[in-house]
Amino acid sequence: MTTPEIAQPRSSSRARSLKGGGRNRSGQTNFELYSWLFMRLSGLALVVLVLGHLFVNLMLGGGITALDFGFVAGKWANPLWQVWDLLMLWLAMLHGTNGLRTIINDYAEKDQTRFWLKSLLITATIVIVVLGTLVIFTFDPCLDPSSTLSVCK
């Protein structure tokens, strides 16, 4: 009986061009190492942030039925919760973007496809992070959600 031959894993043209079997040459950065490290650290931080968020909102906040405009307005009146939610937003978006970037690198075979997918990913990430940050810091609890009239006068 003969054993079947296993095909070599495919690699990008960028990885094939590195001399020394993909070793780091002088002048090159360790972006993938830092990316890998960021995923581990941000994942750990996200576990703490998300569990804290859920505990405060659901256990201390009176359950799911108490979550409304007034609850969010009261919570975001405190700068601690603004920063907490901002960290959660930024870390979740960067963590997810980095994961999708890795998937694009692994599965997009053409350089042009990889470029456009990453461009779309980065554009979407920037838009969502900017909009989310604006919502957190420009949230005005004195505006009635059904009109533009102030209710805090």
Side-chain angles (χ1 to χ4, degrees), residues 18-143:
L18 292 174
K19 294 180 181 175
R23 292 185 183 159
N24 190 10
R25 295 183 293 174
S26 64
Q28 290 181 338
T29 63
N30 288 323
F31 179 75
E32 290 300 328
L33 172 66
Y34 297 136
S35 171
W36 179 87
L37 188 61
F38 171 76
M39 290 299 277
R40 273 59 190 173
L41 296 175
S42 67
L44 185 62
L46 279 168
V47 167
V48 172
L49 289 169
V50 169
L51 289 178
H53 176 84
L54 290 173
F55 180 76
V56 168
N57 288 343
L58 299 177
M59 302 302 227
L60 300 180
I64 192 78
T65 57
L67 297 179
D68 58 5
F69 182 85
F71 180 82
V72 173
K75 192 173 162 198
W76 279 354
N78 185 342
L80 169 75
W81 293 115
Q82 285 182 323
V83 171
W84 187 285
D85 287 348
L86 183 73
L87 277 173
M88 205 166 42
L89 168 72
W90 276 66
L91 281 177
M93 285 304 300
L94 294 175
H95 184 92
T97 299
N98 192 30
L100 284 174
R101 181 195 61 82
T102 303
I103 290 171
I104 290 169
N105 283 340
D106 286 346
Y107 290 104
E109 300 208 9
K110 295 180 183 175
D111 288 337
Q112 189 175 16
T113 304
R114 192 177 304 116
F115 170 79
W116 286 111
L117 287 173
K118 285 184 189 178
S119 297
L120 183 64
L121 175 65
I122 290 169
T123 302
T125 300
I126 290 170
V127 167
I128 291 172
V129 165
V130 167
L131 288 177
T133 302
L134 284 172
V135 166
I136 290 172
F137 287 117
T138 62
F139 182 78
D140 186 4
C142 292
L143 288 179

